[in-house]
Amino acid sequence: MNGVQNSHAIEIHGLSFAYPDGREALRNISLNVRPREKVALVGPNGAGKSTLILQLNGMLTGTGEVRIFGENLAGADKKTIQRIRALVGLVFQDPDDQLFSPTVHDDVAFGPIYMGLEPSTVEERVNQALTAVGMPEYGPRMPHHLSGGEKRRAAIATVLSMAPEIIAADEPSAGLDPRARRGLIRLLDALPQTILVATHDLGLVRDVLPRTIIMDAGELVADGPTADILRDEALLEAHGLEMP
């Protein structure tokens, strides 16, 4: 499957989701994302941004339709879900959720090993991923000794090593100092994949993500060019956002 040949990397139609306690997290969401498009998901806490990201590889499943490069997650069998999860790399809000091995190398190698790749290919993937995030010498280090910015870059490397066509990141700049944040911005700007970022960091949105979607109370309330969205002070204020 070559995502570049498909007209949409992500297609969502009429997606709704409620948690077991009855709280509605997504209400009739519909949107499309083109291959290699870089899109921001913004909105107040509880808007449904993280829940939406988790729908993209079947970690959560609502009603409606989610297609990844034409593959429908609704009713998908195990093999199809595995194929989709190889296409969609999730970067969680807390990097400690992705860094659990004795060394950075082992964490970055985990995905390719799980995919059944040959040892030589695993090593190549690890080296490429660590180089891409500016950490080629970090393989032997222990993850819990890394700084916050280093942990976030290492977490992104664990996703890049699986060579996904889509990267969905949840608050990747949260808690970073200015230097680490600038490094993250350069990294996201350089990556060729389709990128969907849930964030409160409108400066990051302005600098890296040409399209912005605003969510609030589980609904999609605005979708357009980032420059236009960020100029609309009344729209931002209505949904708990501030001009960068």
Side-chain angles (χ1 to χ4, degrees):
M1 183 187 312
N2 185 350
V4 176
Q5 295 178 354
N6 288 270
S7 60
H8 292 110
I10 301 168
E11 298 173 84
I12 299 175
H13 301 290
L15 177 63
S16 297
F17 178 81
Y19 284 99
D21 64 3
R23 178 174 66 88
E24 282 188 289
L26 299 174
R27 300 176 184 177
N28 198 32
I29 298 289
S30 294
L31 63 93
N32 295 325
V33 177
R34 297 188 308 274
R36 302 198 174 193
E37 193 173 12
K38 296 185 178 183
V39 182
L41 280 177
V42 302
N45 288 334
K49 303 184 298 295
S50 298
T51 304
L52 179 59
I53 279 178
L54 293 174
Q55 305 278 328
L56 298 181
N57 71 351
M59 291 189 72
L60 294 177
T61 305
T63 59
E65 190 172 277
V66 177
R67 290 182 180 271
I68 304 298
F69 292 112
E71 292 268 21
N72 194 349
L73 272 161
D77 59 23
K78 184 177 179 180
K79 194 170 183 179
T80 301
I81 289 177
Q82 286 178 335
R83 191 162 57 242
I84 289 172
R85 287 181 176 172
L87 290 170
V88 181
L90 299 185
V91 181
F92 298 115
Q93 185 169 347
D94 185 349
D96 288 329
D97 289 340
Q98 289 180 267
L99 303 173
F100 47 79
S101 299
T103 68
V104 171
H105 174 282
D106 292 346
D107 273 323
V108 180
F110 181 84
I113 290 172
Y114 178 77
M115 292 167 69
L117 301 180
E118 293 292 329
S120 60
T121 304
V122 171
E123 287 306 307
E124 184 179 355
R125 291 280 190 96
V126 170
N127 292 334
Q128 288 174 345
L130 288 175
T131 299
V133 300
M135 301 176 70
E137 74 282 10
Y138 277 67
R141 300 200 187 184
M142 291 181 281
H144 64 275
H145 286 171
L146 302 180
S147 69
E150 289 167 341
K151 283 184 177 181
R152 289 200 180 277
R153 284 189 287 152
I156 292 172
T158 68
V159 170
L160 293 180
S161 67
M162 299 179 70
E165 295 204 37
I166 297 169
I167 296 174
D170 194 356
E171 297 289 357
S173 65
L176 296 186
D177 62 38
R179 181 175 172 183
R181 182 180 170 279
R182 286 193 299 271
L184 175 71
I185 285 174
R186 287 193 297 270
L187 171 62
L188 292 176
D189 194 41
L191 290 175
Q193 283 93 343
T194 305
I195 295 178
L196 191 65
V197 178
T199 183
H200 288 95
D201 185 346
L202 296 192
L204 168 70
V205 171
R206 177 195 60 211
D207 293 341
V208 181
L209 306 162
R211 175 183 169 194
T212 294
I213 294 169
I214 298 179
M215 295 183 65
D216 201 346
E219 298 182 338
L220 192 159
V221 297
D223 181 355
T226 293
D228 294 346
I229 297 284
L230 295 186
R231 273 197 297 265
D232 193 334
E233 192 169 356
L235 174 66
L236 295 178
E237 185 175 342
H239 300 289
L241 301 166
E242 294 185 353
M243 302 276 287

